[in-house]
């Protein structure tokens, strides 16, 4: 059975029974990203998911700051699991925001599954990027940040820009589910909109050393979103694990059986150990 809650204007969907797992998607996705993951986990875990604010195109644009996003996620955690910490299962921008929630509220997060976005705010990661890779990252992110700026004036053009970039980088989300409203994290990154992204926790200092972490990543990409240094450290940390896949950025779509089996096994092992 599926249960729904309204938490500060977010429609939260709850399925399954067992320890609570809260799933955060990224760009340009919705809670539908986790359909297969929920199917693989719900016989042993209570799966909680919702659209990040602004990512549900049936609702008005809702850009939020990092502080506001963390407050919303914690409000969901408190509503669905007031007495026990949860596991966060994260992808893309969901990783960025979920990592910050866990770093700020470690008593509310027992473990983390991060998918394809790692220590992007570490010095080791920035040093690992070539000039070409930096230009590629800046190119697609600035494109989406500009689309956000244009959205309030020329929404049709902004939508076309968003969908063009999604197709270019191999996103399989249906075009009707993508829109310029989703692009505000890139405006935060490049234009310091809504308070920007400065001052967030160092991923490499928290995940692995302080919070047990499973990190899954695709190997077939023009650039990575993690450093080899953090990957090696995480892989040798008791209770944590890294797993690469012969896939791109959307592992849950490109390698669903392997990805979901990896997540399920690690959750079962780490839950039993706890």
């Amino acid at each position: 059975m599926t249960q729904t809650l309204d938490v500060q204007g977010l429609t939260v969907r709850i399925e399954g029974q067992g320890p609570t797992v809260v799933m955060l998607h990224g760009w340009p996705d919705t809670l539908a990203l986790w359909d297969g993951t929920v199917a693989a986990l719900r016989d042993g875990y209570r799966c909680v998911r919702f659209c990040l604010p602004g990512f549900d195109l049936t609702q008005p644009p809702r850009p939020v700051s990092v502080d506001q996003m963390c407050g919303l996620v914690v409000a969901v955690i408190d509503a669905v699991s007031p007495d026990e910490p949860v596991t966060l299962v994260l992808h893309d921008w969901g990783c960025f925001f979920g990592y910050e929630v866990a770093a700020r509220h470690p008593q509310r997060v027992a473990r983390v599954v991060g998918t394809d976005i790692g220590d992007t705010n570490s010095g080791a990661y920035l040093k690992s990027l070539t000039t070409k890779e930096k230009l590629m990252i800046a190119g697609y992110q600035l494109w989406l940040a500009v689309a956000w700026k244009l959205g309030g004036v020329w929404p049709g053009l902004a939508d076309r820009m968003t969908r063009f970039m999604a197709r270019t980088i191999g996103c399989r989300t249906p075009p009707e589910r993508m829109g310029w409203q989703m692009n505000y994290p890139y405006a935060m990154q490049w234009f310091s909109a809504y308070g920007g992204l400065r001052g967030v926790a160092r991923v490499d200092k928290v995940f692995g050393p302080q919070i047990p972490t499973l990190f899954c990543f695709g190997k077939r990409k023009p650039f990575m979103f993690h450093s080899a240094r953090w990957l090696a450290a995480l892989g040798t940390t008791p209770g944590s694990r890294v797993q690469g896949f012969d896939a791109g950025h959307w592992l849950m779509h490109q390698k669903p059986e392997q990805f979901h089996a990896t997540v399920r096994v690690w959750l079962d092992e780490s839950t039993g150990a706890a």
Side-chain angles (χ1 to χ4, degrees):
M1 294 182 63
T2 300
Q3 177 187 3
T4 59
L5 298 174
D6 182 282
V7 179
Q8 298 186 21
L10 301 176
T11 300
V12 180
R13 186 182 300 178
I14 305 170
E15 301 165 76
Q17 294 182 337
T20 301
V21 175
V22 177
M23 302 174 176
L24 303 183
H25 65 83
W27 181 93
D29 294 305
T30 67
L31 57 75
L33 175 78
W34 302 115
D35 285 350
T37 311
V38 170
L41 299 181
R42 64 187 170 199
D43 63 331
Y45 295 88
R46 186 166 170 254
C47 300
V48 177
R49 51 182 171 150
F50 56 93
C51 285
L52 295 180
F55 283 66
D56 180 354
L57 300 186
T58 67
Q59 302 295 320
R62 188 182 178 182
V64 297
S65 67
V66 173
D67 287 348
Q68 291 170 325
M69 181 72 81
C70 289
L72 286 166
V73 175
V74 171
V76 171
I77 293 172
D78 288 343
V80 299
S81 184
D83 301 320
E84 297 290 337
V86 304
T87 297
L88 296 181
V89 177
L90 315 169
H91 181 246
D92 194 73
W93 278 103
C95 286
F96 178 88
F97 295 120
Y99 291 156
E100 187 64 12
V101 168
R104 294 186 184 193
H105 305 277
Q107 75 282 3
R108 304 299 288 122
V109 178
R111 61 191 65 80
V112 166
V113 178
T115 310
D116 215 55
I117 302 295
D119 62 324
T120 53
N121 61 357
S122 74
Y125 174 71
L126 295 176
K127 290 178 182 178
S128 73
L129 294 173
T130 65
T131 300
K132 179 181 178 180
E133 289 169 339
K134 291 178 180 177
L135 289 173
M136 292 173 69
I137 292 170
Y140 89 84
Q141 291 188 353
L142 278 168
W143 176 277
L144 295 171
V146 170
W148 165 261
K149 287 284 191 181
L150 293 174
V153 182
W154 294 302
L157 172 61
D159 280 344
R160 290 194 295 273
M161 290 176 65
T162 300
R163 293 163 184 168
F164 167 79
M165 186 54 66
R167 290 194 303 271
T168 300
I169 63 177
C171 177
R172 299 183 183 182
T173 300
E176 63 272 14
R177 294 184 185 174
M178 297 185 290
W180 65 269
Q181 299 96 315
M182 299 174 163
N183 296 348
Y184 67 86
Y186 297 104
M188 296 166 73
Q189 168 82 3
W190 290 96
F191 303 147
S192 297
Y194 314 107
L197 303 180
R198 291 186 178 276
V200 297
R202 282 278 299 273
V203 170
D204 55 329
K205 302 295 185 182
V206 178
F207 299 94
Q210 298 181 32
I211 297 177
T213 303
L214 167 64
F215 181 65
C216 300
F217 64 98
K219 298 178 179 179
R220 288 193 291 105
K221 304 194 300 291
F223 45 80
M224 296 295 165
F225 292 104
H226 62 266
S227 71
R229 177 178 176 179
W230 181 65
L231 207 67
L234 190 63
T236 57
T237 300
S240 294
R241 180 183 172 187
V242 298
Q243 181 65 57
F245 295 81
D246 184 25
H249 183 59
W250 283 271
L251 306 179
M252 61 290 295
H253 288 164
Q254 296 161 336
K255 294 291 181 180
E257 293 183 2
Q258 295 177 17
F259 173 73
H260 293 134
T262 299
V263 172
R264 181 62 188 258
V265 168
W266 186 79
L267 287 179
D268 288 349
E269 291 176 349
S270 59
T271 301

